[in-house]
Amino acid sequence: MNTCAFSIASDGDDDDIGGYRSLFENAVEGIYRTTPDGRYLDANPALARIYGYGDPAELIAGLTDIARDLYVNPADRDRFKASLDRDSVVRNFEARVYDKDRNVIWIAENARSVRAIDGRILCYEGTVQDITERKRSEESLRLAAAVFETVGEAIVVTDARRVVLAVNAAFERITGWNADEVAGRPSDLFAIEMIGIAEMEQTWRLAATGGVWSGESWARRKDDDPFPVALTITAIAGEDSAADRYVLLLRDITTHRRDEQRIRFHASHDGLTRLVNRRTVMEGLADSIARAEHSGERLAVLYLDINRFKDINDSFGHAVGDELLRQVARRLKACVRASDIIGRLGGDEFAVVLPSVADSGTAEVCVNKVLYAFAEPYGINDLELYASTSVGVALYPDDADNAESLLSRADAAMYHAKRNGHSFSFFDPDMDRHVAERVNLENDLRHALAEGQFRLAYQPKVDVTTRRVVGAEALIRWRHPERGEISPARFIPVAERAGLIGAIDDWVLEQACAQMARWRDQRLAPPSISVNLSPAQFLDGRLKDKVKAALTGAGLPAAMLELEITETMMASDMDRAIEILGQLTAMGIKVSLDDFGTGYSSLAYLKLFPVTTLKIDRTFVDDLPDDAKNGAIIASIVALAANLGFSVIAEGVETPAQAAFLAESGCATMQGYLFSRPVDAEAFGRLLDQGLPGLLAVSARK
Ligand code: C2E
Ligand code: MG
Ligand code: MG
């Protein structure tokens, strides 16, 4: 017989003095009574509700073994029982239990054991509270606290008046401030004055009104050292919906900036002499011309070339040649003014731009200074070397009115001087060898396509880890009937200027796709074929249709085609370029940024470009592995690419040492003479069939 009669539960009992029964029925807490071995004797409606049952009767019938049916961890029941048996009460016992639908909920129980006079336990009775919500918010608080303390970003929480309430560990590490030092102080302490009060106020206002502001800014470390940050300010609305807290998230982007600067420096400078490079000279020259045009001044360009440089290089070696170039650069710098532009155009050629000269006489004074500087011998190692120079001079506006032709006229004058054994020469229209040549080239190009003078060469892209050819780049070749092979680097710009490039690029695209289809038929095809696009082609509204037509014509899937564009193409009209790229990649075509690192598009925008691959320019690879700076740049590019989800390939890989260095830096895909020169379709087919000899050299070194 059950001796644990529950007075308030027994209907119509006289002991139920009014209130108790109603209390039991209407309590918000669950109330129960169970046998020690885990069956319910009684339960109120609240308990049924908490456990998901329709009414207490259903609960009592459904839950016949509490340890097994109710507790997620049956051992909890054992603990519960053990303390009841020992202490007769249990307070605030938290456990996870299943409700009727097997959802896990959290409960807190208070219970006591009811004993007979002889001390025997008759039953347990107790109350249950559903604490699932509280547990959940505790959990998310714990998570938030863990995130707050462990993220790499500095976090600052301020009140509505921007007084610091809390900072995390990363903040302390990054800024050098201690949490106690900044708590209670205005956040302007480390927000820097560099960006200007007005701008800062604007930022806060935007955050307060829009809920969040993010962008780049500056912050200050404890030692006053300013550093660039990616900053997000989130306003947390209080009850009256005005911002009553701000959360600042700061990411230190110093190294990111430094990498950007390094890449930019390299793109605009010559690594050997640290003078600006040809591209920067041309830009500076164009600017100077624009200014001279405005002020009505005259401007001179000096084009210099070291006489017999090749002989010096051949007889004493490259190291001596390089040192000579460095010393020449130093001497040139010493004879011009700070406002003059002095750059290395490539090889042993240099340019000096004098932005304001009265007449040819003033320019000649400078030329003489340069010649004088060259007259001294150069001490290199134990050698004493004499190196003379030939200088050509062209004047704006006398000889040409744009940067390109002004430089090419200075070049023509230099040639003239050299050929006639003079140390310098001013430009004279008769000398316009280059210009004339370009006109001829243009005329010849007009017939080249029709007369079948073009063909394509293919160069493999190789994954050195799998030793597979992972792609082929199609490169155009032109055999001129009289002048023989002419490099695309030479004629493509001419074709662009003459408006002939569209037809040439169409031809290349079509041929390359057709060739790929043939390899596919022979089961040789590499995963993809790359075709270079010129700017005109890229911006041509018909590009998408042309590409589609070429793919359909050859029966190739879009994924087998890769287009190579350069960063500069992105720069002229970014929105348009992004749109075009988006269309191409949406079709499934791959796009790589060729000559990456030499362009001018902001790295900040890179993430917006729907491209698949960054193709690291040859200039970065050239001096590897000795040039630590280029090594660092390559590492930065690889990291950047990984961050943005691009793949990387390096071009111009010529030596096993370069390949090994690149592979170690995380760039395993490569292209270059080491593996194969560009070869005709047939030879490329053989190479696909038989594999690459160059790979052996890489693996031998590793
Ligand atoms: P690019 O797209 O950057 O092509 C790579 C160039 O580097 C090719 O020169 C290739 O022969 C050369 N190269 C490959 N491996 C090495 C190496 O290990 N060392 C060195 N020093 N050079 C290497 P190429 O064929 O003379 O082409 C020059 C440029 O002309 C190309 O640069 C590309 O911008 C343009 N080009 C070539 N074919 C086409 C074409 O069909 N259409 C258009 N629009 N442009 C083309
Ligand atoms: Mg290319
Ligand atoms: Mg390239």
Side-chain angles (χ1 to χ4, degrees), residues 459 473 476-477 488 505 532 594-595 618 651 654 673 678:
Q459 189 178 32
E473 179 172 7
I476 194 167
R477 295 293 174 256
D505 274 346
N532 292 284
D594 205 351
D595 306 340
R618 202 170 40 243
E651 64 180 351
E654 296 182 350
Y673 293 167

Side-chain angles (χ1 to χ4, degrees), residues 29 32 71 76 79-80 83-84 87-96 106-112 125-132 134-135 138:
E29 291 191 322
Y32 65 82
Y71 285 88
D76 284 348
R79 279 198 298 124
F80 178 77
S83 38
L84 272 179
D87 309 329
S88 292
V89 293
V90 168
R91 289 200 207 293
N92 231 333
F93 184 86
E94 296 187 351
R96 286 184 310 148
W106 274 97
I107 56 163
E109 288 185 77
N110 288 298
R112 69 180 192 99
E125 58 184 31
T127 60
V128 171
Q129 241 182 312
D130 181 350
I131 56 165
T132 312
R134 195 192 85 207
K135 279 288 181 187
E138 274 175 16

